Amino acid sequence: MKLVVPSLRATLFPLYVFEAVRPTHVQTALRQVFETWGLPERLRIDNGQPWGSANDLPRDLALWLIGLGIDVIWNRPYRPQDNGRVERSHGVTKNWIEPHTCRDLVQLQQRLNRAVYLQRTAYPYHQGLSRTQYFPSLQHGGQPYQQASEPQQWQLARVDALLAQGVWVRHTDSDGKISIYGRNYSVGRRYSRQAVLLRFDPETRHWQADDTQGHCLRSMANRELSSDSIVALQVTRHKPRKPSKTTGKT
């Protein structure tokens, strides 16, 4: 599976589907891109792993990008035309490199590197000029970035401001609890099996559960949104996988 930052860099992962790639590996690849080209103003992403899910809270990787000052834009679910040029580019790149004929991942990465170089530097884009020639500002990159200085660039307030704009629907269970980033929060047993509106208060850094009329039912101190947990991509608590039924059998 490949991560493509349009016309700038392509990194292969030895996995068949992107959803199987660990977010920390994607973060490492992005840091390498940012060190070479600088931080972009915005990044358009889809709603699958590891970026986010439709109409729900931003995932860990997106929160990290937001803290860097990058405007994250989610495509509408099931609307590939929102990112039509990139989708088309994937198909063209696949035709150029013919991955089914590569003997291993090393050769596939070599072909991909060459295809990216040709597409950016050699192939005519407009009026006989390549993309590099037609868009010379790309050579200067975005805002300077070095991983060593990331702690000085990254700001938790940016994450808080983004979350403060959202409202997410949750349904309480029989005990009046809801799940936020994989952790249970109690709204109150008397509010069991109800729809509640989840908000984030940037001043108190509390989650607020409202009823559908907008009345506050409970304010709850968040337990996951620290700078350290976001940068380490440890916001979401994942349920342990159940052992396979075949474990231990020959």
Side-chain angles (χ1 to χ4, degrees), residues 13 23-33 61 64 147 233:
F13 299 103
T24 51
H25 293 174
V26 180
Q27 184 185 50
T28 297
L30 286 172
R31 280 172 168 156
Q32 293 171 353
V33 172
L61 193 59
W64 169 68
Q147 184 175 345
L233 306 187

Side-chain angles (χ1 to χ4, degrees), residues 113-128:
N113 292 344
R114 176 171 172 76
V116 170
Y117 169 79
L118 290 174
Q119 188 266 356
R120 181 180 71 247
T121 306
Y123 195 81
Y125 170 72
H126 187 68
Q127 297 178 348

Side-chain angles (χ1 to χ4, degrees), residues 8-9 30 44 50 72 77 146 149 167 190 195 212 226 239 245 247:
L8 301 180
R9 182 187 178 95
L30 286 172
R44 179 179 289 276
V72 176
Q146 293 292 327
S149 61
V167 178
R190 57 179 171 171
T212 53
S226 68
K239 295 181 180 180
K245 294 181 180 180
T247 300

Side-chain angles (χ1 to χ4, degrees), residues 24-56:
T24 51
H25 293 174
V26 180
Q27 184 185 50
T28 297
L30 286 172
R31 280 172 168 156
Q32 293 171 353
V33 172
F34 296 158
E35 287 196 331
T36 301
W37 297 95
L39 292 175
E41 292 183 4
R42 61 188 63 87
L43 191 63
R44 179 179 289 276
I45 61 178
D46 61 28
N47 290 277
Q49 278 277 57
W51 307 110
S53 55
N55 302 318
D56 205 355

Side-chain angles (χ1 to χ4, degrees), residues 112-242:
L112 184 57
N113 292 344
R114 176 171 172 76
V116 170
Y117 169 79
L118 290 174
Q119 188 266 356
R120 181 180 71 247
T121 306
Y123 195 81
Y125 170 72
H126 187 68
Q127 297 178 348
L129 301 177
S130 69
R131 286 170 170 80
T132 299
Q133 293 168 326
Y134 194 77
F135 299 106
S137 60
L138 289 177
Q139 299 300 312
H140 306 297
Q143 179 183 350
Y145 169 88
Q146 293 292 327
Q147 184 175 345
S149 61
E150 184 179 306
Q152 287 73 50
Q153 290 180 285
W154 201 91
Q155 296 181 18
L156 183 61
R158 293 169 177 156
V159 175
D160 291 354
L162 184 282
L163 291 176
Q165 300 174 27
V167 178
W168 300 274
V169 178
R170 290 289 189 273
H171 291 85
T172 58
D173 63 13
S174 58
D175 294 322
K177 296 179 180 179
I178 59 175
S179 177
I180 305 175
Y181 285 116
R183 295 169 178 78
N184 288 330
Y185 284 78
S186 177
V187 180
R189 188 179 294 272
R190 57 179 171 171
Y191 303 116
S192 64
R193 302 194 183 283
Q194 293 185 26
V196 297
L197 305 179
L198 180 66
R199 307 176 191 273
F200 184 78
D201 185 336
E203 295 185 3
T204 62
R205 309 204 73 247
H206 282 206
W207 295 109
Q208 180 174 309
D210 297 346
D211 63 19
T212 53
Q213 284 73 47
H215 302 122
C216 180
L217 303 178
R218 174 157 294 185
S219 177
M220 306 163 288
N222 92 80
R223 306 197 299 270
E224 56 281 308
L225 295 174
S226 68
S227 298
D228 290 342
S229 63
I230 296 174
V231 173
L233 306 187
Q234 295 177 350
V235 174
T236 303
R237 175 179 291 176
H238 300 281
K239 295 181 180 180
R241 294 183 179 180
K242 295 182 180 180

